[in-house]
């Protein structure tokens, strides 16, 4: 096993152990659920009607996800990295993930797309949304469905795509 894989597994176990010792599994499930996607739709549609930045917010978010979703699926199915909850012997997960593969983290990519859009339209809220996006990523590790490198890849995918989207729009 190479050094990067060992470090990735070490960090994975450290985060999972911390979560269990602090009894944060329920909190991790709740934080993870905030990154499921429906929240983005509800908020962006509400902003269309309630704020002068709503159209720009909606357009950025929509284009970000239109590009991210197929790219995420392509990467995940090309790399085919098995989720830790399936790969690590004796590991008990907290819920059934939607697929078998972990790299990149789609929840994290989506959360960082959202955070970047908030940063673009409402910069004063950026620190809070980036912290939330990072917490979504950590929750995915705590739940046993992603390694730390999956989270880093999701962050990179989300942020990188939004740099591209902001140049397009």
């Amino acid at each position: 096993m190479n050094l990067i894989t060992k470090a990735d597994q070490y960090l994975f176990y450290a985060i999972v152990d911390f979560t269990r010792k602090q009894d944060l599994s329920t909190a991790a499930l709740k934080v993870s659920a905030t990154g499921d996607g429906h929240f983005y739709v509800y908020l962006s549609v509400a902003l269309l009607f309630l704020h002068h930045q709503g159209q720009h917010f909606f357009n950025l978010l929509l284009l970000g996800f239109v590009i991210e979703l197929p790219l995420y699926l392509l990467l995940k199915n090309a790399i085919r990295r098995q989720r830790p909850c399936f790969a690590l012997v004796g590991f008990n997960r907290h819920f059934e993930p939607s697929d078998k593969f972990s790299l990149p983290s789609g929840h994290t990519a989506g959360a960082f797309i959202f955070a970047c859009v908030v940063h673009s339209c409402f910069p004063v809220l950026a620190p809070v949304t980036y912290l939330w996006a990072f917490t979504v990523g950590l929750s995915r590790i705590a739940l046993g469905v992603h390694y730390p490198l999956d989270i880093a890849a999701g962050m990179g995918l989300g942020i990188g795509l939004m740099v591209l989207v902001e140049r397009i729009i």
Side-chain angles (χ1 to χ4, degrees):
M1 197 179 331
N2 69 33
L3 183 61
I4 293 172
T5 303
K6 285 182 181 179
D8 203 23
Q9 285 187 1
Y10 176 82
L11 286 172
F12 170 81
Y13 280 119
I15 292 167
V16 168
D17 288 345
F18 177 81
T19 302
R20 289 185 177 162
K21 286 177 184 171
Q22 299 301 318
D23 197 27
L24 297 172
S25 298
T26 301
L29 277 168
K30 289 178 182 179
V31 170
S32 178
T34 66
D36 285 349
H38 55 277
F39 168 72
Y40 310 135
V41 174
Y42 300 147
L43 185 60
S44 63
V45 170
L47 285 173
L48 274 172
F49 299 106
L50 301 174
H51 199 277
H52 65 60
Q53 283 278 55
Q55 186 67 56
H56 185 60
F57 187 94
F58 182 87
N59 292 344
L60 284 172
L61 200 62
L62 180 62
L63 185 56
F65 280 112
V66 162
I67 297 170
E68 184 265 346
L69 185 59
L71 186 55
Y72 150 80
L73 290 171
L74 178 71
L75 288 168
K76 190 169 266 213
N77 288 300
I79 297 168
R80 302 175 69 85
R81 183 182 197 192
Q82 201 173 36
R83 291 183 183 274
C85 60
F86 299 134
L88 302 174
V89 176
F91 184 82
N92 295 321
R93 60 189 174 271
H94 294 280
F95 68 99
E96 188 67 32
S98 60
D99 60 46
K100 296 186 297 188
F101 306 122
S102 69
L103 183 67
S105 167
H107 275 76
T108 306
F112 274 90
I113 286 171
F114 182 81
C116 288
V117 172
V118 169
H119 184 190
S120 178
C121 296
F122 308 103
V124 71
L125 298 175
V128 173
T129 54
Y130 283 117
L131 178 61
W132 163 80
F134 185 71
T135 305
V136 168
L138 285 176
S139 75
R140 304 298 289 169
I141 299 168
L143 295 171
V145 294
H146 285 289
Y147 294 102
L149 285 178
D150 303 339
I151 302 311
M155 289 170 61
L157 179 61
I159 293 169
L161 283 176
M162 290 317 297
V163 169
L164 172 68
V165 165
E166 287 194 334
R167 291 177 186 226
I168 294 170
I169 291 185

